[in-house]
Amino acid sequence: MAGCDSGPEEPDATASVRATASGQAAGACPDALRKAKAAVQAAESTDTAWTGPRSGPGAVPGKTLVYVAQTMTNPGVAGVAKAVREAAETIGWDVRVIDGEGTPAGIQAAFSQAVTLKPSGIVIGGFDPRLTSQQVARAEKAGIPLIGWHAVSSPGPSTSPRLFTNITTKVEDVAAISADWVIARSDGGAGVVVFTDDSIPFARNKAELIKRRLATCTGVKLLAYRNIPIPDASQRTPLEISSLLSRFAKKWTHSVAINDLYFADAAPAFRAAGKPGAGPPFNIGAGDGDPSAFQRINSGRHQAATVPEPLTQQGWQIVDEFNRAFAGSPPSGYVAPVHVVTADNSGGGTSWDPEGYREAYEQIWRG
């Protein structure tokens, strides 16, 4: 697993953070603050009517899928796997999930097993296909179509590696709205820690984009960038939190993590340090919006917001995209819009999905 280094501290990490209520913070980046507030207001809208496909090929019968998971301890990966099974049952297909357990060797072994099973299609669940180039080549030679979930940085078809399509929100949009939330929430004055997993190119790219967006507001200071591989998060995150609290104390006002699970692991350390559940620091997850993240947000337990993937909808979309591949049709091209969930707009729910997608997909598959 690459990149166990914590990463460099920013040179201005010890600089004092402007007080958010002083008015000076907003004056530091008026244009960035105005844009951030407008973007966040739009993303927090609860108008989530289905804008995806309503036409396509009817169900192709008798298909089998294998979902190769980066690790089923990643709530996003596991949530999509559950949804793929649900959608496959609806369309009349069989699904098998193989857990790569978060290591290169484990993922390669899981993918090799998947190819050996000769399924109709294989899902690349949350890992970089370049890690499994030999297995990808074997699948391509066998004529097995591949669909990724968070497999490459952009949604849609990919030629290198060859994917029928990749299902994800646009990482640029997720990163931007996460940083905008910090800028808007702090009124342009914050001390921020970013948590990521540099061993996953998708996550590393997201974290870099978050840093760049934060830098558009001069009142926002990046205190630290912490690279914690997801499989190690449960052990390393509490220790990192304790160290960061000791070092930065009240200067640390906000956090952004590439995945909500970091805040699940951080919560005990925050509690032990006497930090209030409602913050500061105010924490936002830039994915994936699993039920535990919603529970922390709704109950004010060391997470204030998330930018959730519509995990169940994306699982259904994977099945629909495979059906299009089997029918010789092009991919749908649908990309879910970004959405920000807080306690004020969650409605007490534990997931986010557009309304009406199940009915839309079922109608398509009925032909």
Side-chain angles (χ1 to χ4, degrees):
M1 187 69 72
C4 291
D5 181 20
S6 294
E9 302 296 341
E10 294 298 305
D12 58 0
T14 58
S16 63
V17 178
R18 291 179 173 89
T20 57
S22 68
Q24 296 177 354
C29 60
D31 289 342
L33 180 59
R34 175 178 51 80
K35 292 176 182 177
K37 287 187 173 181
V40 170
Q41 182 179 9
E44 289 181 345
S45 170
T46 55
D47 180 8
T48 58
W50 176 240
T51 59
R54 294 187 177 275
S55 63
V60 178
K63 298 299 182 179
T64 60
L65 303 179
V66 175
Y67 185 101
V68 181
Q70 182 251 351
T71 171
M72 290 294 280
T73 62
N74 182 324
V77 171
V80 174
K82 179 181 179 181
V84 167
R85 281 174 160 159
E86 177 187 282
E89 182 177 355
T90 300
I91 203 173
W93 299 348
D94 293 325
V95 175
R96 179 169 178 176
V97 176
I98 305 177
D99 190 351
E101 299 181 344
T103 67
I107 293 167
Q108 289 164 3
F111 205 146
S112 292
Q113 184 181 355
V115 176
T116 301
L117 291 171
K118 299 180 180 180
S120 308
I122 295 175
V123 184
I124 297 174
F127 61 89
D128 184 354
R130 289 173 295 186
L131 181 68
T132 56
S133 57
Q134 293 182 353
Q135 290 81 7
V136 167
R138 285 177 54 202
E140 185 173 348
K141 185 176 180 180
I144 302 172
L146 305 176
I147 288 179
W149 180 81
H150 286 207
V152 295
S153 60
S154 300
S158 171
T159 56
S160 181
R162 187 175 297 280
L163 303 177
F164 180 74
T165 194
N166 181 56
I167 309 299
T168 179
T169 49
K170 292 182 179 178
V171 66
E172 298 87 353
D173 294 346
V174 173
I177 201 64
S178 303
D180 282 346
W181 183 87
V182 170
I183 295 169
R185 178 71 171 75
S186 69
D187 204 24
V192 187
V193 175
V194 173
F195 297 94
T196 188
D197 180 349
D198 280 348
S199 70
I200 304 172
F202 182 91
R204 183 174 63 247
N205 181 42
K206 185 192 293 186
E208 289 299 321
L209 291 169
I210 290 168
K211 286 168 60 179
R212 290 179 206 167
R213 188 71 162 206
L214 291 171
T216 63
C217 182
T218 56
V220 172
K221 308 300 180 183
L222 181 63
L223 301 179
Y225 178 97
R226 284 294 180 259
N227 170 28
I228 304 174
I230 286 175
D232 301 338
S234 61
Q235 293 181 328
R236 286 188 53 188
T237 303
L239 298 175
E240 293 283 6
I241 296 297
S242 297
S243 175
L244 291 163
L245 286 171
S246 176
R247 179 167 186 178
F248 298 114
K250 293 182 179 180
K251 294 176 183 177
W252 180 10
T253 64
H254 293 75
S255 313
V256 188
I258 56 91
N259 191 296
D260 291 304
L261 65 83
Y262 289 101
F263 299 128
D265 298 322
F270 283 130
R271 287 195 296 269
K275 287 293 182 180
F282 303 100
N283 303 315
I284 182 170
D288 293 312
D290 65 279
S292 68
F294 277 74
Q295 290 164 5
R296 287 190 297 276
I297 291 166
N298 291 336
S299 59
R301 288 185 287 118
H302 305 290
Q303 186 167 351
T306 185
V307 185
E309 296 282 323
L311 299 175
T312 305
Q313 179 270 314
Q314 289 176 335
W316 279 65
Q317 184 179 352
I318 286 170
V319 170
D320 182 67
E321 302 290 2
F322 269 121
N323 193 59
R324 292 168 191 269
F326 300 148
S329 299
S332 72
Y334 176 69
V335 180
V338 292
H339 181 60
V340 173
V341 169
T342 67
D344 291 334
N345 71 353
S346 72
T350 57
S351 65
W352 175 73
D353 274 308
E355 298 178 1
Y357 67 88
R358 283 183 173 87
E359 295 81 359
Y361 283 131
E362 289 174 355
Q363 184 174 358
I364 291 171
W365 299 339
R366 282 195 294 268

